[in-house]
């Protein structure tokens, strides 16, 4: 029988000797809504923003470690389960969660060797497809079977290039290569040197809408896309 577990930043819970006590509940999506009082109106006006709240996923865990190594194991786990990262559950390995923050409850030492604790992962509201991290060579179109995506564009060539997505254009001065990251709203070279001044246009115009997307680049340039497929 395959053990249930999770992976965080490329390391599995099993490799740390962590046992997941039960499959976690996945909270539903929740849109941010605010209410505004209008003079003369008996009802509050609902203002729905096109943004969603983070999802918090709680995972209850336990472990067993020899008494003299128990605190060493605790420190290892606290070091591993920190900062931002990617979370994958073993029964849903086709998607990953983008974790923004990790909190661990107190470590309870039930017996000399046994410990329990709860991890709370504060995640982006979206579930990201693992295969959306794969670069695709694009000629003139790409189909998006999910929700609005914020891709990364990889341009190769020399000179002024026009990148057009669904009729929206961005101009870029390319010197051998240029990376346009629409999620982070950054442009940089392969060595991570920032090149924000090399482009003219809006990052939002390069998002991939659900369905078919038409894409073109100036002649003499090659284009690859990491689509970052995601769904709510």
């Amino acid at each position: 029988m395959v053990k249930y577990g999770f992976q965080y930043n490329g390391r599995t819970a099993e490799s740390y000797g962590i046992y997941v006590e039960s499959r976690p509940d996945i909270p539903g999506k929740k849109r941010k809504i605010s209410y505004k009082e209008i003079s003369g109106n008996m009802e509050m006006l609902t203002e729905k923003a096109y943004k969603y709240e983070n999802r918090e996923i709680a995972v209850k865990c336990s472990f067993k470690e020899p008494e003299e190594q128990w605190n060493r194991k605790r420190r290892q786990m606290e070091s591993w389960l920190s900062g931002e990262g990617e979370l994958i559950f073993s029964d849903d390995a086709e998607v990953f969660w983008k974790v923004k923050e990790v909190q661990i409850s107190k470590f309870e030492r039930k017996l000399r060797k046994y410990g329990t604790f709860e991890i709370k992962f504060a995640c982006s509201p979206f579930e990201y497809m693992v295969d959306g991290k794969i670069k695709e060579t694009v000629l003139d179109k790409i189909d998006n079977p999910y929700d609005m995506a914020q891709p990364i564009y990889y341009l190769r060539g020399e000179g002024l290039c026009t990148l057009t997505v669904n009729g929206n254009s961005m101009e870029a001065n390319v010197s051998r290569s240029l990376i346009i990251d629409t999620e982070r709203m950054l442009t940089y070279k392969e060595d991570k040197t920032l090149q924000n001044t090399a482009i003219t246009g809006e990052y939002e115009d390069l998002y991939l809408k659900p369905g078919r997307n038409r894409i073109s680049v100036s002649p003499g340039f090659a284009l690859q896309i990491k689509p970052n497929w995601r769904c709510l």
Side-chain angles (χ1 to χ4, degrees):
M1 183 178 178
V2 179
K3 292 182 178 180
Y4 177 78
F6 67 89
Q7 175 179 305
Y8 188 62
N9 283 339
R11 295 293 302 272
T12 64
E14 185 179 10
S15 69
Y16 281 91
I18 296 175
Y19 171 74
V20 179
E21 296 189 345
S22 61
R23 284 171 167 77
D25 295 324
I26 305 298
K29 63 183 179 182
K30 187 176 180 182
R31 179 178 284 184
K32 290 186 176 180
I33 298 176
S34 60
Y35 298 94
K36 184 177 181 181
E37 186 173 351
I38 304 297
S39 178
N41 195 327
M42 297 179 65
E43 295 186 25
M44 301 288 283
L45 178 66
T46 302
E47 296 180 329
K48 293 184 179 181
Y50 288 96
K51 295 182 180 179
Y52 291 85
E53 296 181 4
N54 290 338
R55 303 200 209 191
E56 184 178 89
I57 303 175
V59 184
K60 293 182 178 180
C61 300
S62 61
F63 67 98
K64 176 184 176 183
E65 196 71 16
E67 182 179 0
E68 65 277 8
Q69 297 177 18
W70 198 92
N71 279 300
R72 179 186 300 172
K73 174 65 71 174
R74 173 184 57 79
R75 288 189 290 270
Q76 288 177 347
M77 290 187 291
E78 285 188 301
S79 176
W80 168 47
L81 296 167
S82 62
E84 299 180 347
E86 295 181 359
L87 172 66
I88 298 176
F89 291 105
S90 60
D91 65 346
D92 196 15
E94 67 178 2
V95 304
F96 67 93
W97 296 89
K98 287 190 177 182
V99 177
K100 299 180 179 181
E101 184 182 7
V102 184
Q103 292 185 346
I104 301 177
S105 69
K106 63 181 178 180
F107 287 84
E108 295 188 29
R109 199 164 184 169
K110 301 294 185 180
L111 297 171
R112 291 181 179 180
K113 296 181 179 181
Y114 293 91
T116 62
F117 61 100
E118 184 179 65
I119 314 164
K120 291 183 178 179
F121 296 100
C123 304
S124 161
F126 291 92
E127 296 179 67
Y128 287 82
M129 311 306 295
V130 171
D131 62 9
K133 298 170 68 175
I134 300 172
K135 289 182 184 178
E136 301 183 26
T137 299
V138 178
L139 299 177
D140 61 354
K141 65 180 182 296
I142 187 170
D143 292 322
N144 177 7
Y146 306 105
D147 289 301
M148 184 77 73
Q150 298 171 310
I152 301 176
Y153 295 89
Y154 299 81
L155 291 169
R156 288 195 176 275
E158 196 72 37
L160 184 63
C161 173
T162 300
L163 169 62
T164 303
V165 179
N166 297 322
N168 302 311
S169 296
M170 174 178 281
E171 290 193 342
N173 281 304
V174 183
S175 178
R176 298 183 64 183
S177 68
L178 195 68
I179 300 170
I180 302 172
D181 187 334
T182 67
E183 180 182 29
R184 298 166 63 200
M185 293 191 174
L186 293 174
T187 300
Y188 45 90
K189 297 183 71 66
E190 289 181 329
D191 63 1
K192 304 302 181 182
T193 303
L194 286 178
Q195 297 286 298
N196 290 338
T197 58
I199 59 100
T200 303
E202 301 296 332
Y203 289 100
E204 294 94 331
D205 288 341
L206 304 183
Y207 291 170
L208 298 176
K209 65 182 182 181
R212 176 149 295 184
N213 292 262
R214 295 290 180 181
I215 299 175
S216 65
V217 290
S218 300
F221 291 87
L223 172 66
Q224 285 187 305
I225 296 177
K226 185 182 291 185
N228 291 329
W229 300 133
R230 63 185 187 176
C231 57
L232 279 169

